[in-house]
Amino acid sequence: MTRVLVPVAVLEGESVSPGLVDLLGTVDVTVLGYHVLPEQTPPDQARLQYEDRATDALEDLSDAFRTAGGAADHRLVFTHDRQQSIDRIADEVDAKALAVPGITGDVERVLVSLSGDVAVDRILSFLTELVGDRDIGVTLLFAADTEDAAAERLDTAAEQLRSSGIDVTTTSVVGTGPSAALIEEASSHDAIVMSERAPSFSSLIFGEESDRIAAASVGPVLVVRYEEGLDT
Amino acid sequence: MSTGPSGTNLEGEAPVAESVVETDEATITDDAELERTLGIVGGLAIGIGTMIGAGIFVFPGLAGAEGGTAATASFAVSGVVALLVALPTSELATAMPKSGGGYYFISRGLGTLAGTVVGLSLWLGLVFATAFYLVGLGFYALDALALVGIGVGANPGGIVSALAVVAGIGFTVLNVTGTENAAKLQNGIVALLLSMLVAFLALGLFDVLGVTGAAPSGGTEADRWAALPILSTAALVFTSYLGFAQVATVAGEIKRPGRNLPLAMIGSVLIVTVMYVVTIFVATSVFDRTQLGTFGETAMVEIGRELLGLPGAFVIVVGGLLATMSSANASILSTSRAIYGVSKDALLPRWASRINLRYGTPHVALGMAGGPVIVLAATREVQLLAEVASFLHLIMYGLICVALVAIRRDEPEWYEPEFRVPGGPVIPVVGAVASFGLIAFMDPASIVVGGFVILATAGWYLYYARDVTLRGAL
């Protein structure tokens, strides 16, 4: 079954909102509790002091996910490098997507970005599984240079989702960057689904795109993982 | 042997022990994982960054005054001793890639008494080394003030002490409160230092070898190519090589430890040995013994001035400041890890490894590092500080070699190093003899202070941790 990795800064009081727990009820979940340490602190030293507290919190979280539907387990990592730990665990559990926890109530409508050079098929198959037979609407968003280019990709994608019985609307935006378009639309949706990109120059400078969007949109963001060597 | 550590200390605390699985990316314990985040570059930066500070910037004057160009041989001898220890340390570190380094190997290989002595004298040895780096920093800061035209007044020594103490307080506070990752900065400083030095040394070598007319106009006191001064100078300058074992204190955080630990330790020793030997050769070719003796701790600045004029002096002052800072900072970090290692094994109270809730830093251990450092730095006893630091490290290095021989003889089930020192027991035995032997050439005062510290740590074992058993326990 499809697995989603939910990284949580467990000792900093970060948690997962009930809306996201319900949304992920159709998939398996691995909760990754991480704690980032300054380089002065050996990870093992922090573990001795905080392990019990962190494990308690993680058990509660994975219980909540289990109650919502899918199978759930948890991992706890003490690290100097958050991204490295998330990448490693995502590979090890073969997660199809990562969740950036945000605040949301019941999810009624998700916003899906198809902008840019992304693996549309991977996004759609994940989405179909995520929505399942639930009454969750989907808005497909595409930011393009011309109206025609947008229309073609959106129509094909919408058709594919409708055939699985999903309620779909499409929005195309011309002349705005993909991130800006996504943040603009986010306020009228409860969660965002987007695709991870290959590591780029701007991700080095500004950090991960998904983290920036999560910060700007407040709600949770599900990031479908990029796979190397994938033809899109 | 699969039995864990056992017994309790005076306060009834037992060593923390559990079975863990080491992979190339993480250490996996029962309920948690510890990410390995340092690569080969990070490892080399710790080794080189700790070593290249004081050795290259403080010793040319002191060592050159002793032996002249023969001091080049002293640095080479020290480098060979360091290499003889780095090889066994690498083997043990790949078998036990855990924080604590030398302490860990010795306590597991030779038992709790040797472990306590080494663990506590590693802490105190690093304290002496850090104080030495800070005094070096003070001398360079004084020269920097002089270069920009700020008068030093009638009591330059007092100012050096004050600068060293202020820097010591600064680094301790920075390490307790600074949660920004400074590793990248450290890598950058090391890279900058290396490139500055390589460029400078290339110019210096060209000058010394090609243009013999650059010889100094002053006195012509002859070099002393004799075994005794060469070896006693080697014992003094050995402090310049203390950094490689600090790589082992972060062994638990190094990615692919089987490959990266030996590369980082042996590689950093080789790199700095070459740098040191060339530097001393240039330094002692530009000035003779009397002149180097007059210049003292910051003789390198005068060498820079002689070779390249004012810009040369400026480059060396900046380099000296950066290098002594990076050495001091890296050593304070290692000290706090050393304290954590012994505290985890109940050889020091558990509270010594508490972590600060606000900053997530080990403030108690950092304080136990920074406090004595500041006191010692105020003494300004460059030679004594350096030699006691070397003394305490050499005891550990010798015992690491002995521990390797002992563990190999028992060859316990868990012992599966990825890197093995070739040549059977030859290298560790020679390494042990060389480490202990070098101590004999130190100043008697340093031997007395060092010996006192060793006795005090053994006394602490008898008083506090007699009932703790660590031998053979992984």
Side-chain angles (χ1 to χ4, degrees):
Chain A
M1 196 160 154
T2 295
R3 187 171 284 276
V4 174
L5 184 70
V6 185
V8 180
V10 65
L11 290 164
E12 274 152 41
E14 189 179 13
S15 194
V16 180
S17 63
L20 180 59
V21 173
D22 286 340
L23 179 64
L24 294 178
T26 46
V27 294
D28 290 344
V29 168
T30 296
V31 183
L32 164 60
Y34 64 84
H35 188 53
V36 180
L37 300 153
E39 63 173 316
Q40 301 93 308
T41 314
D44 194 42
Q45 191 167 352
R47 178 180 69 90
L48 283 187
Q49 197 162 331
Y50 299 126
E51 183 175 37
D52 293 344
R53 237 173 75 198
T55 304
D56 282 351
L58 287 175
E59 275 167 2
D60 289 350
L61 271 176
S62 40
D63 276 348
F65 277 108
R66 228 168 278 132
T67 312
D73 57 12
H74 64 82
R75 305 275 289 263
L76 172 61
V77 180
F78 293 89
T79 182
H80 293 301
D81 184 338
R82 168 179 175 267
Q83 200 57 48
Q84 185 188 321
S85 296
I86 292 177
D87 288 344
R88 175 174 66 85
I89 305 277
D91 283 341
E92 284 179 14
V93 303
D94 194 21
K96 198 167 270 179
L98 304 172
V100 184
I103 300 161
T104 184
D106 282 345
V107 176
E108 285 161 6
R109 191 146 206 104
V110 296
L111 177 65
V112 180
S113 169
L114 297 181
S115 312
D117 184 18
V118 296
V120 175
D121 285 343
R122 277 178 74 81
I123 299 178
L124 295 182
S125 78
F126 172 72
L127 203 61
T128 313
E129 205 158 347
L130 180 73
V131 172
D133 52 8
R134 296 185 289 181
D135 191 17
I136 295 175
V138 169
T139 303
L140 297 177
L141 174 74
F142 192 91
D145 298 335
T146 66
E147 198 71 49
D148 290 347
E152 195 191 327
R153 182 179 282 196
L154 285 173
D155 288 347
T156 326
E159 206 49 53
Q160 198 180 325
L161 290 177
R162 281 191 191 110
S163 70
S164 312
I166 298 174
D167 162 29
V168 185
T169 58
T170 62
T171 308
S172 59
V173 181
V174 178
T176 316
S179 301
L182 204 51
I183 292 165
E184 178 86 5
E185 286 290 320
S187 56
S188 51
H189 294 80
D190 307 307
I192 292 175
V193 175
M194 59 186 288
S195 172
E196 189 180 39
R197 306 273 186 90
S200 69
F201 182 67
S202 78
S203 70
L204 278 177
I205 304 292
F206 303 111
E208 292 285 319
E209 186 189 20
S210 48
D211 290 336
R212 278 180 283 143
I213 287 172
S217 72
V218 184
V221 177
L222 297 178
V223 187
V224 178
R225 291 186 69 214
Y226 166 85
E227 260 187 308
E228 247 167 271
L230 202 77
D231 293 322
T232 54
Chain B
M1 230 179 292
S2 57
T3 48
S6 55
T8 55
N9 65 18
L10 197 65
E11 291 169 59
E13 294 165 340
V16 179
E18 67 235 284
S19 57
V20 299
V21 179
E22 307 284 356
T23 72
D24 277 354
E25 292 112 28
T27 301
I28 296 154
T29 70
D30 290 343
D31 287 324
E33 296 156 48
L34 315 169
E35 196 81 38
R36 297 180 174 277
T37 46
L38 284 168
I40 178 72
V41 175
L44 278 172
I46 289 174
I48 298 176
T50 312
M51 283 192 266
I52 216 153
I56 219 161
F57 287 98
V58 177
F59 281 134
L62 307 180
E66 289 290 320
T69 309
T72 312
S74 306
F75 271 86
V77 167
S78 275
V80 170
V81 175
L83 191 63
L84 285 171
V85 179
L87 287 163
T89 310
S90 297
E91 173 170 334
L92 290 168
T94 61
M96 298 171 254
K98 295 167 193 293
S99 294
Y103 156 71
Y104 196 87
F105 316 144
I106 290 164
S107 61
R108 268 52 181 178
L110 300 175
T112 313
L113 171 61
T116 311
V117 168
V118 166
L120 297 182
S121 47
L122 175 60
W123 159 32
L124 297 167
L126 283 165
V127 162
F128 275 90
T130 313
F132 163 66
Y133 302 147
L134 287 174
V135 175
L137 173 62
F139 277 110
Y140 270 89
L142 190 73
D143 266 37
L145 290 178
L147 262 190
V148 297
I150 297 172
V152 291
N155 183 14
I159 294 175
V160 169
S161 288
L163 290 169
V165 166
V166 168
I169 295 172
F171 283 125
T172 309
V173 171
L174 201 69
N175 273 307
V176 172
T177 61
T179 52
E180 283 302 311
N181 225 320
K184 291 216 168 62
L185 187 68
Q186 174 89 359
N187 293 357
I189 289 181
V190 171
L192 179 70
L193 261 178
L194 279 180
S195 45
M196 269 166 70
L197 276 172
V198 167
F200 183 78
L201 291 177
L203 277 172
L205 263 188
F206 181 75
D207 225 42
V208 169
L209 295 176
V211 196
T212 37
S217 49
T220 49
E221 207 174 351
D223 301 328
R224 286 204 291 176
W225 287 97
L228 194 66
I230 287 179
L231 289 176
S232 72
T233 307
L236 167 68
V237 302
F238 190 73
T239 321
S240 326
Y241 291 93
L242 300 187
F244 71 90
Q246 264 67 290
V247 180
T249 64
V250 294
E253 289 152 63
I254 297 223
K255 285 187 259 192
R256 294 187 62 189
R259 164 183 174 269
N260 287 343
L261 278 170
L263 276 180
M265 278 194 263
I266 297 166
S268 54
V269 169
L270 291 177
I271 291 172
V272 300
T273 304
V274 172
M275 302 283 288
Y276 287 172
V277 167
V278 177
T279 307
I280 295 299
F281 178 71
V282 170
T284 53
S285 304
V286 171
F287 292 119
D288 72 8
R289 282 172 45 205
T290 330
Q291 290 168 311
L292 287 170
T294 331
F295 298 140
E297 282 81 0
T298 51
M300 279 295 281
V301 178
E302 300 310 320
I303 293 155
R305 201 192 303 273
E306 179 75 20
L307 289 174
L308 294 172
L310 192 61
F314 185 75
V315 167
I316 294 294
V317 164
V318 171
L321 284 173
L322 286 178
T324 45
M325 276 184 206
S326 92
S327 288
N329 197 44
S331 297
I332 290 181
L333 276 185
S334 302
T335 317
S336 119
R337 277 180 166 67
I339 293 171
Y340 163 62
V342 285
S343 157
K344 188 184 178 191
D345 284 341
L347 303 181
L348 277 181
R350 187 62 37 82
W351 51 256
S353 58
R354 293 296 294 176
I355 293 174
N356 180 301
L357 286 175
R358 176 149 171 218
Y359 301 108
T361 50
H363 60 299
V364 182
L366 287 168
M368 287 166 75
V373 163
I374 293 161
V375 175
L376 289 177
T379 65
R380 220 167 55 241
E381 291 285 342
V382 171
Q383 205 143 339
L384 183 75
L385 293 174
E387 285 200 345
V388 174
S390 294
F391 179 100
L392 296 172
H393 279 83
L394 281 166
I395 296 278
M396 173 173 86
Y397 293 167
L399 289 174
I400 286 178
C401 295
V402 175
L404 179 67
V405 175
I407 291 181
R408 272 188 178 179
R409 190 196 54 208
D410 299 346
E411 196 77 38
E413 216 176 290
W414 50 261
Y415 189 67
E416 292 172 347
E418 286 184 50
F419 169 84
R420 274 184 186 267
V421 181
V426 176
I427 290 179
V429 167
V430 177
V433 171
S435 301
F436 294 135
L438 206 51
I439 291 175
F441 293 97
M442 287 181 176
D443 197 55
S446 313
I447 297 179
V448 168
V449 174
F452 175 77
V453 171
I454 296 289
L455 284 179
T457 57
W460 176 259
Y461 160 77
L462 290 173
Y463 163 73
Y464 190 78
R466 215 176 336 168
D467 299 331
V468 176
T469 309
L470 299 171
R471 180 144 193 231
L474 190 58

